[in-house]
């Protein structure tokens, strides 16, 4: 028996106009995965442990567990017949738009690669990690897995072939994350994707491309104010915010308290606000909490920074 342990961070996807393209790794929560190669060779995958905090629930069955989906695909592609055991120590609350399935998938792909000395490059490991996203999103999307694997801010280029571009975030980038404690549906991301429009006006598309470009420029110049300017999204946010009670109030409060911008984290219901100093962080945290409370929603609010990517410790 041989085991490898890996860790991968939480993340926020989209950053407003960068739907399925932008991701930022966050040092807020971490998932830990231990992959063990057993002696028997029946090609079986077992999930022996899932340690999770109260209220967190992720599926144990192989068809619906992100880590198991990743292992299954890697075993098929590399013709591996050993029995594999997966232990999952969840730090990231699943279903709240903080890259929970992505982190488990990334840590799994990272550990599995080392366990069998496969020497798969990081881009292809991101590809394997995206297999796990099918568990919660019903489809592969690469924004959370790319940043959780590589760390920092990442851009997913889809056509003509997949490519991942990484930027080191500015040192003075701070984020206030608000997690409303509302129930979320099973396969929440799939549900949150099903309500999105399939088409948009040219005006909205131009506005989003312009803002997305501004975000990239902000990361290139390491200018947090410029990043924040680009967060406005005309296509996804107007639809998804309806699933987040009190969203407009939370946003107004955060900005009045000194946040530079606020948007939905990934598919929600968490929100992220951007700050270029931690000086206002307490007021912004309080403002976000009060914004949710105005709709009788409790929330947990945190201050965090960008994170490095997957590691063994
Ligand atoms: N880009 C994905 C979505 C991220 O918004 O559906 C899910 O965390």
């Amino acid at each position: 028996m041989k085991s490898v342990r890996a860790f991968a961070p939480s993340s926020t996807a989209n950053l407003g106009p960068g739907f399925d393209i932008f991701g930022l790794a966050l040092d807020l929560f971490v998932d830990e995965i231990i992959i063990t190669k057993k002696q028997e060779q029946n090609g079986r995958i077992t999930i022996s442990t899932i340690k999770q905090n109260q209220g967190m629930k992720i599926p144990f069955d192989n068809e619906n567990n992100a880590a198991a989906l990743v292992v299954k695909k890697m075993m098929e592609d590399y013709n591996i017949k050993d029995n594999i055991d997966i232990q999952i120590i969840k730090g990231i609350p699943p279903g709240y738009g903080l890259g929970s399935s992505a982190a488990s998938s990334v840590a799994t792909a990272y550990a599995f690669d080392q366990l069998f000395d496969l020497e798969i490059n990081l881009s292809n490991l991101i590809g394997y990690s995206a297999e796990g996203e099918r568990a919660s999103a019903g489809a592969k999307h690469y924004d959370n897995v790319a940043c959780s694997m590589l760390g920092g801010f990442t851009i997913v280029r889809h056509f003509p072939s997949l490519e991942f571009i990484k930027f080191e975030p500015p040192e003075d980038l701070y984020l206030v994350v608000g997690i409303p404690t509302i129930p979320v549906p099973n396969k929440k991301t799939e549900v949150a994707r099903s309500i999105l429009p399939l088409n948009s006006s040219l005006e909205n598309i131009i506005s989003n491309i312009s803002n997305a470009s501004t975000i990239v420029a902000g990361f290139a110049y390491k200018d947090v104010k410029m990043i924040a300017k680009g967060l406005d999204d005309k296509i996804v946010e107007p639809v998804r915010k309806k699933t987040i009670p009190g969203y407009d109030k939370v946003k107004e409060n955060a900005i009045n308290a000194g946040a530079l911008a606020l948007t939905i984290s990934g598919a929600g219901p968490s929100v992220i606000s951007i700050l270029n100093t931690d000086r206002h962080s307490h007021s912004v945290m309080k403002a976000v909490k009060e914004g949710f409370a105005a709709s009788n929603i409790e929330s947990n609010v945190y201050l965090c920074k960008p994170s490095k990517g997957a590691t063994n410790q």
Side-chain angles (χ1 to χ4, degrees):
M1 287 217 308
K2 187 183 161 203
S3 296
V4 174
R5 175 193 306 264
F7 299 84
S10 49
S11 56
T12 185
N14 304 340
L15 278 84
F19 179 76
D20 277 2
I21 300 169
F22 293 163
L24 178 68
L26 300 177
D27 72 355
L28 182 58
F29 303 114
V30 170
D31 273 8
E32 176 182 351
I33 300 279
I34 303 162
I35 309 282
T36 304
K37 176 168 117 176
K38 314 269 276 213
Q39 249 130 32
E40 308 76 42
Q41 289 208 316
N42 306 315
R44 273 190 60 205
I45 303 169
T46 49
I47 303 169
S48 65
T49 328
I50 303 184
K51 280 197 197 140
Q52 43 198 335
N53 294 331
Q54 233 187 353
M56 290 188 183
K57 270 210 180 78
I58 56 163
F60 250 104
D61 65 292
N62 288 359
E63 288 312 310
N64 289 301
N65 182 282
L69 288 173
V70 174
V71 168
K72 186 166 174 255
K73 177 74 175 147
M74 293 180 86
M75 286 174 73
E76 278 167 14
D77 285 4
Y78 287 87
N79 200 19
I80 290 169
K81 304 269 187 258
D82 303 84
N83 288 4
I84 301 295
D85 180 66
I86 309 172
Q87 288 174 263
I88 304 171
I89 298 111
K90 285 298 298 174
I92 309 173
Y96 284 86
L98 294 168
S100 166
S101 55
S104 287
S105 304
V106 161
T108 298
Y110 195 82
F112 192 90
D113 172 64
Q114 292 176 355
L115 185 63
F116 290 96
D117 297 318
L118 302 176
E119 297 188 356
I120 302 172
N121 66 40
L122 286 179
S123 286
N124 289 336
L125 280 184
I126 293 170
Y128 281 115
S129 308
E131 287 294 323
E133 292 294 44
R134 292 195 290 113
S136 58
K140 292 201 269 184
H141 63 92
Y142 297 84
D143 43 4
N144 290 103
V145 286
C147 62
S148 188
M149 182 69 79
L150 301 176
F153 170 69
T154 51
I155 300 173
V156 179
R157 199 166 163 262
H158 291 89
F159 307 107
S161 57
L162 267 175
E163 221 176 293
F164 308 102
I165 304 162
K166 176 187 169 175
F167 287 80
E168 284 303 336
E171 287 294 326
D172 55 345
L173 175 57
Y174 294 84
L175 299 110
V176 167
V177 178
I179 311 176
T181 54
I182 56 174
V184 285
N186 274 344
K187 293 187 177 273
K188 186 245 27 219
T189 304
E190 189 170 350
V191 175
R193 292 172 84 83
S194 71
I195 61 172
L196 297 179
L198 293 178
N199 297 295
S200 192
S201 68
L202 184 60
E203 195 185 341
N204 285 347
I205 293 169
I206 292 170
S207 170
N208 271 28
I209 294 175
S210 154
N211 278 332
S213 310
T214 306
I215 291 177
V216 175
F219 277 100
Y221 288 130
K222 297 203 187 294
D223 181 337
V224 178
K225 282 191 179 158
M226 194 179 283
I227 295 170
K229 267 195 214 163
L231 243 61
D232 186 58
D233 163 30
K234 295 270 184 286
I235 300 174
V236 174
E237 184 193 28
V239 181
R240 281 194 174 159
K241 73 176 186 180
K242 295 180 191 147
T243 65
I244 307 173
Y247 181 79
D248 285 331
K249 180 77 182 149
V250 171
K251 186 165 177 167
E252 185 192 322
N253 277 9
I255 288 165
N256 287 340
L260 298 169
L262 179 142
T263 193
I264 302 169
S265 182
S270 297
V271 298
I272 50 148
S273 41
I274 289 196
L275 288 76
N276 63 351
T277 161
D278 60 359
R279 227 177 322 132
H280 311 298
S281 60
H282 283 288
S283 340
V284 174
M285 287 165 80
K286 190 163 166 271
V288 167
K289 214 172 170 59
E290 285 173 0
F292 281 121
S295 293
N296 292 319
I297 303 293
E298 284 185 26
S299 59
N300 295 312
V301 184
Y302 304 90
L303 175 68
C304 68
K305 299 271 293 168
S307 167
K308 59 183 186 205
T311 57
N312 293 111
Q313 48 201 316

